[in-house]
Amino acid sequence: GENVEQHPSTLSVQEGDSAVIKCTYSDSASNYFPWYKQELGKGPQLIIDIRSNVGEKKDQRIAVTLNKTAKHFSLHITETQPEDSAVYFCAASMPGANSKLTFGKGITLSVRP
Amino acid sequence: DGGITQSPKYLFRKEGQNVTLSCEQNLNHDAMYWYRQDPGQGLRLIYYSQIVNDFQKGDIAEGYSVSREKKESFPLTVTSAQKNPTAFYLCASSFGTGPTYEQYFGPGTRLTVT
């Protein structure tokens, strides 16, 4: 089955700096890669996703890039703000109506004011 | 106001007791899911349901049971057979299964078994 690795487990940045979170996946058949943000005491919320037919997708301060050859994808957050502090999960899914998401272990991002 | 409701937010039980976690959604979603989250771990799928009266085991179904009698509701029972039940449980729903459909998560229930 699919295996998603997420490193490091924690990341601390200064407010205003950029943050990059990287994930790797094992199955080259995976074609959908969402990123979820989980604030303290809440459920995860989808913030951006990318499919294997594109290499990059942007939404305001966040972007996701995909390298299919290397089997990794990254979340980029620019001009970080304290409210960006949260746990971020990456996930991967293979094609097919019955496919399921495989999640990474999550990374805790802390933005220092 | 549409969304997913999980209750209660915190639940405490004694070892050996079964406990049922509630999940309700008013998003008109066909698919519903239960995940377990442990510290430093990703989300692991327990059970999922694509339609009413149908459900499938996920990766860690042992010691859990579910029912899907109504489209809006997908309760999870943590049985005494679950060896390590203390965890944060998340319910999610989507219009369908597969990568085409975004999963929406509830706020979670933190279960503590002593």
Side-chain angles (χ1 to χ4, degrees):
Chain A
E2 176 63 276
N3 182 45
V4 177
E5 300 276 344
Q6 197 169 353
H7 297 284
S9 60
T10 61
L11 177 63
S12 180
V13 299
Q14 192 69 40
E15 182 178 357
D17 288 350
S18 295
V20 181
I21 304 169
K22 181 177 174 179
C23 283
T24 60
Y25 61 99
S26 61
D27 197 322
S28 56
S30 290
N31 70 341
Y32 175 64
F33 308 94
W35 284 91
Y36 284 84
K37 175 184 181 183
Q38 184 178 29
E39 297 177 351
L40 196 63
K42 297 183 179 180
Q45 183 177 11
L46 178 71
I47 55 171
I48 195 167
D49 56 14
I50 192 168
R51 300 184 187 274
S52 60
N53 58 343
V54 298
E56 183 176 3
K57 184 176 179 181
K58 288 183 180 179
D59 184 4
Q60 299 182 337
R61 293 189 298 111
I62 60 173
V64 56
T65 58
L66 172 64
N67 183 327
K68 289 187 290 184
T69 303
K71 288 189 285 188
H72 68 70
F73 56 111
S74 299
L75 177 70
H76 305 254
I77 306 174
T78 59
E79 301 173 16
T80 54
Q81 301 167 3
E83 51 265 38
D84 294 328
S85 296
V87 178
Y88 290 83
F89 291 97
C90 61
S93 173
M94 283 186 265
N98 294 322
S99 62
K100 300 176 287 294
L101 288 173
T102 300
F103 286 85
K105 292 186 177 182
I107 178 172
T108 301
L109 174 65
S110 299
V111 179
R112 305 186 302 272
Chain B
D1 194 21
I4 302 177
T5 304
Q6 290 186 247
S7 61
K9 192 170 180 64
Y10 300 96
L11 194 52
F12 299 88
R13 280 294 183 269
K14 294 290 188 185
E15 193 174 326
Q17 294 178 337
N18 291 353
V19 59
T20 297
L21 281 60
S22 167
C23 178
E24 304 277 334
Q25 55 96 2
N26 61 4
L27 300 169
N28 199 33
H29 286 169
D30 286 316
M32 297 186 74
Y33 313 79
W34 274 106
Y35 291 91
R36 171 181 172 138
Q37 185 177 14
D38 294 285
Q41 299 291 319
L43 280 64
R44 292 183 290 168
L45 184 64
I46 305 172
Y47 267 99
Y48 67 102
S49 167
Q50 294 176 290
I51 55 172
V52 174
N53 293 323
D54 180 72
F55 47 83
Q56 307 292 332
K57 290 182 179 180
D59 299 319
I60 55 166
E62 186 176 348
Y64 300 97
S65 66
V66 293
S67 63
R68 187 84 187 277
E69 296 177 2
K70 297 188 300 181
K71 186 175 184 177
E72 302 79 17
S73 178
F74 191 39
L76 173 75
T77 296
V78 185
T79 75
S80 56
Q82 167 51 232
K83 292 182 174 57
N84 187 17
T86 294
F88 189 53
Y89 290 88
L90 286 160
C91 178
S93 69
S94 61
F95 278 112
T97 54
T100 305
Y101 303 100
E102 176 182 349
Q103 291 188 23
Y104 295 79
F105 285 84
T109 291
R110 187 167 298 281
L111 173 65
T112 303
V113 177
T114 57

